Amino acid sequence: MGTVDELCSIVGTVHAELSISIVSLDNSTSPYGDLPEWLLEVMSRLFDIGSHVANPRRKKKEEEESDSDGEDNAKYNSFVCDGVGGGFDPEHIEDLEDWIDEMTDKLPELSSFVLPTGGKASAQLHVARTVCRRAERRTVLLVDDGVCDPNALRYLNRLSDFFFTAARWTNFCEGIEEIQYRRPHRGAKQRGRVKVNLEYASQG
């Protein structure tokens, strides 16, 4: 629960940074597209997961399983979305996929590592990505014990990819160069840092 709460707070920091940037531009139109609204949705979903994880379902004992028929066990093993942490709607995972695709379509293809640098929002999104991975690892144990909805775990898995893409997207929108870590040329013995203008690369 603490890790999910930590993650939600980091996302809130990113949203605040984007909001400040939008105000400083004196423009009601967000240069980041729908990302600020998406981040609000992500925070809401993290609250849902936090409620779900904070109230795990009681693990069914072996003797209880043996006394129940297959239909009863199936009902017990299913999670129902009730708005108060009873389960997690898989539609939220599909939303993440759509958002990732929307940003990726406008970004240049990536075939190397990226240093977690750039604007403040981008750097914070990389922090969110790493904390999300930690939350995912800790949720695995709850899913394995049958007390947590696997859809919550799937959401966290895709959410870290969303944060990575969003980090590149904010640099793209702000016109900040991306620092890639790759071989500068074929045959090079050591990878190095290569600055890439995302806007120019996307047009190429």
Side-chain angles (χ1 to χ4, degrees):
M1 173 59 184
T3 305
V4 173
D5 189 32
E6 177 186 358
L7 176 58
C8 189
S9 297
I10 296 173
V11 178
T13 301
V14 176
H15 185 272
E17 186 64 36
L18 296 185
S19 297
I20 292 173
S21 296
I22 294 171
V23 171
S24 67
L25 293 173
D26 194 24
N27 191 334
S28 59
T29 302
S30 167
Y32 307 100
D34 293 325
L35 180 58
E37 183 64 28
W38 293 343
L39 293 178
L40 291 176
E41 283 294 317
V42 166
M43 285 188 279
S44 300
R45 300 295 75 77
L46 289 174
F47 264 83
D48 292 342
I49 292 177
S51 298
H52 182 58
V53 172
N55 297 284
R57 184 172 58 185
R58 181 180 63 85
K59 187 176 181 181
K60 202 170 187 180
K61 297 179 181 179
E62 291 184 6
E63 56 268 26
E64 291 178 324
E65 292 183 353
S66 61
D67 292 338
S68 302
D69 58 28
E71 185 175 347
D72 288 339
N73 282 331
K75 289 182 179 179
Y76 182 86
N77 290 329
S78 64
F79 292 86
V80 180
C81 301
D82 55 10
V84 291
F88 195 81
D89 194 333
E91 288 186 1
H92 299 314
I93 304 172
E94 297 175 7
D95 289 339
L96 283 181
E97 297 283 1
D98 291 340
W99 301 342
I100 291 172
D101 290 343
E102 186 171 333
M103 290 185 288
T104 300
D105 286 344
K106 300 176 183 178
L107 289 169
E109 184 177 353
L110 182 66
S111 58
S112 64
F113 293 107
V114 174
L115 297 187
T117 58
K120 290 183 179 179
S122 177
Q124 285 288 346
L125 282 163
H126 280 294
V127 175
R129 173 179 58 82
T130 60
V131 175
C132 188
R133 286 297 190 194
R134 172 155 42 96
E136 179 187 356
R137 291 193 298 271
R138 293 184 175 181
T139 305
V140 167
L141 300 176
L142 297 175
V143 171
D144 288 345
D145 281 343
V147 297
C148 179
D149 191 339
N151 285 322
L153 178 60
R154 296 188 187 101
Y155 184 84
L156 292 173
N157 177 267
R158 296 305 293 142
L159 184 58
S160 60
D161 291 332
F162 167 80
F163 287 141
F164 178 81
T165 306
R168 298 190 70 214
W169 173 250
T170 55
N171 278 341
F172 173 77
C173 294
E174 294 173 359
I176 297 177
E177 292 180 325
E178 180 175 84
I179 302 179
Q180 299 181 0
Y181 186 61
R182 55 181 169 84
R183 291 193 301 176
H185 56 81
R186 186 183 297 273
K189 295 181 180 180
Q190 173 63 51
R191 287 179 294 186
R193 296 183 298 277
V194 179
K195 291 185 178 180
V196 177
N197 184 309
L198 293 175
E199 183 175 4
Y200 176 80
S202 66
Q203 294 172 355

